[in-house]
Amino acid sequence: MSGDPERPVYRVDWLPGGDVLEARCFCGARRGLPDPVTAWTWLLDHPRHAAPPPEGGPR
């Protein structure tokens, strides 16, 4: 399988030990979310989520 370097890559991973999914956008933004629909909605909302959260704030 060959990848297209121009296409963005989104990832949603299950974090073991809980019911949290980690969504990772191609821009580097990450966020822990409770369900896959919320995770994909957040990812596809790029670039509005692209700003990193303030230090100490929720992801």
Side-chain angles (χ1 to χ4, degrees):
M1 180 175 172
S2 63
D4 181 354
E6 299 298 318
R7 294 184 69 187
V9 176
Y10 303 98
R11 292 188 64 120
V12 176
D13 294 318
W14 170 69
L15 299 177
D19 293 335
V20 177
L21 299 171
E22 181 184 60
R24 289 185 280 167
C25 184
F26 66 92
C27 70
R30 293 179 173 213
R31 188 165 181 192
L33 296 159
D35 65 80
V37 173
T38 306
W40 283 105
T41 300
W42 179 80
L43 283 169
L44 297 174
D45 197 33
H46 180 85
R48 288 184 287 257
H49 71 253
E55 285 298 316
R59 294 197 307 175

